[in-house]
Each structure stands twice: as C-alpha cells, then as structure tokens.
Amino acid sequence: MEEIYCFAGNPLDRMSERRRDRAWVAALLADPAARVLPLVDLRPLTRGEAAAPMLDWQPAASWQAQIEAGAMLVFLGVGDDKRPYFAIDASAADLRPNGGDAPFDARTLAPLLPAGEAAIVAEARSLIDWHARHGFCAQCGTRTRVEAAGWVRRCPECKASHYPRSDPVTIMLAVRGEYGLLGRGRRRPGSRFSCLAGFMEPGETLEEGVRREVHEETGVRIGRVTYLACQPWPFPSTLMMGCLCEALSEEITVDPEELAEARWFSRAELRAMVERAATGAEDPTQVSVPGPVAIAHQIIRRWAFGLDGL
Ligand SMILES: [Zn+2]
C-alpha cells in the first residue's frame, strides 16, 4: 500500500474546475459554514495545547473587513464536511494568538497535526508565499491581479496568466550491496547526514536528474533508478520525488560547493540512525538522519528495513 508522508494526503476537494466562477466563490465565502485559516508571516494560527495544537479555523465572516481591504485570500477547497475552506494572509492584521505566543513555523507544526491537516498547511503556505513574491508580470513587469480564487495572477497589460508552480526536486538513496550513500550539507552540523537531493533541470527526466545529481555531488555513477514516493515540501513550493538508485561505482569525490562530506553507511548503521531519529533523541556525538517529517527519513527507513529494494 502507498504510504502517505507528512504534507501529503490533502483531504480537501480543490474544485479546480469551478474556482474561476466569481459568483460561485463569493457564495462560498458568504456561506456561514465557511472557514478561514489565518497565516501570519506564513505561520498558520493554532489553538490548544502546545504539544497538540489544532489549526485555528475561524468564521469567514470575522475576516470580512480584511478581505474587503484587499488582504490576500485563497480558496483551499471543500471538505468532507461540505464546508468551504480558505486561507488568508493575516501578516498585516497584527494578530497575537494563544495569549501572545508567536505561531509555530509550519515545519515544527506539521508533525504535531492530524494526518491531512499538514497537507492543508502546505497548500496554504505555498500559495500565500507565491502571491507575496509574484506581484508583477514576468513578461512585461506590470502589477498583476488575482483571479480564480487565488490560483491565477493575470496581467492587465499583456494579458498573460501566471500560475503557482511546484518545483520538482529529486531526492535519492544510492545503494550498492548492503551500503547506502548519504551526504552532509555544508550548512549542516557535523553529525547530520541525509539523502542527496537537487532541483530537476529543464529538459531532464526524473532518472536523468537522479543520475546527474548523485554524480555531480559525489562522483558516483548511477544505473537503475526506482521511484518510491513523493512529498510536497512547502518551503517555498517544492515537490520532493523520492527514489532508490543503483550505484555502479564506490569511490567518492565530493563537490565542495554542495557537500561537506559523503559516506557509505551499512544497512545496520542506517537502521540505527532511523530508529534514533524516530524517537527524536538526537545525540550530536552520533551520526544522524532527519526525522520522520522529511521524506529522506522515509526513503532511508524503507530501504534499511527491507521494505523497498531495487
Ligand atoms: Zn504582462
């Protein structure tokens, strides 16, 4: 069965075929059942205990003044409960939720949320961030206008339509026999290793991207590539495409621009690293891998425990 990782499994129906219909969207917003998730500096507001926060969905009516004043509002979708859900950029509203605490960063918050809600956060965060950084037409420089309930920006001058994008990234575990190849980034502390990863380039297949990235960063040649699973990663708007790949060579020549170090780890070492990361008991004197929120953790776990192979 396909496993769903953090930020995947969004339960909302985005109703993408209808969101260009302004009257329909206005009726959704006027529905007393409509709910809005405010984000302050891209951090969703929450309520409840810090150890078990809940998304602070608020009645859309309570945001009417901000919406009319032009706050960025995006339609997220309709839930199983038939409620319409929106997100709003509340950065300018000077809100201080939870008695004055700063809201959680999405990366910290996501693992604490019920399955599916982190995916809604990913959708909201990526979209609001996109609007904040794409106010002008890439073709002619004119300020663009929001359409389709936040899913298009259209240029009034040259009529170009601009759509929010996901940037594909390959993230992979190269394996050779009983060993897997991990790298340590230049900005990472001395013991934290992870899967190699990199942005896909235009005109490249997934397999070609995997082979290029591993070879560029470590000098290792790659043969077969197997796709495992993917994960939206809303920082700002990436799709992490997880793969296993077969190493055809062993010698490592690290690209110092990309990595501080790369190393082969045995399957037993990787199992121990995954188990330590899953408990959150990180010890800086021991080598480690990212926690379960990251697809890197899941790729390493699946291979190390024999759930996936090439
Ligand atoms: Zn234009």
Side-chain angles (χ1 to χ4, degrees), residues 6-84:
C6 189
F7 294 122
N10 193 325
L12 300 182
D13 181 348
R14 300 178 183 219
M15 309 284 283
S16 54
E17 71 286 5
R18 298 209 63 183
R19 59 196 182 199
R20 281 180 179 275
D21 180 342
R22 283 185 194 180
W24 182 77
V25 175
L28 287 186
L29 198 54
D31 182 341
R35 290 292 177 269
V36 168
L37 179 65
L39 281 80
V40 176
D41 298 331
L42 302 177
R43 294 166 176 234
L45 299 196
T46 55
R47 54 192 158 85
E49 296 285 314
M54 290 181 295
L55 295 180
D56 191 7
W57 293 105
Q58 302 178 4
S62 63
W63 287 87
Q64 198 55 40
Q66 287 88 340
I67 294 167
E68 283 170 11
M72 177 51 60
L73 178 81
V74 297
F75 171 58
L76 298 174
V78 173
D80 290 339
D81 55 7
K82 306 296 176 204
R83 284 182 192 272

Side-chain angles (χ1 to χ4, degrees), residues 200-205:
M200 301 263 319
E201 293 189 348
E204 196 171 51
T205 66

Side-chain angles (χ1 to χ4, degrees), residues 136-144 154-160 162:
F136 295 87
C137 179
Q139 208 155 259
C140 77
T142 305
R143 179 171 282 283
T144 50
R154 190 161 157 81
C155 177
E157 189 63 33
C158 76
K159 310 299 180 201
H162 302 282

Side-chain angles (χ1 to χ4, degrees), residues 54 98 119 126 278:
M54 290 181 295
N98 299 341
S126 286

Side-chain angles (χ1 to χ4, degrees), residues 268-282 289-290 292 297 300-301 304-305:
E269 285 176 301
L270 293 175
R271 277 201 294 259
M273 289 157 84
V274 163
E275 281 175 341
R276 282 200 298 273
T279 63
E282 198 148 338
V289 293
H297 177 100
I300 298 166
R301 178 182 63 85
F305 286 91

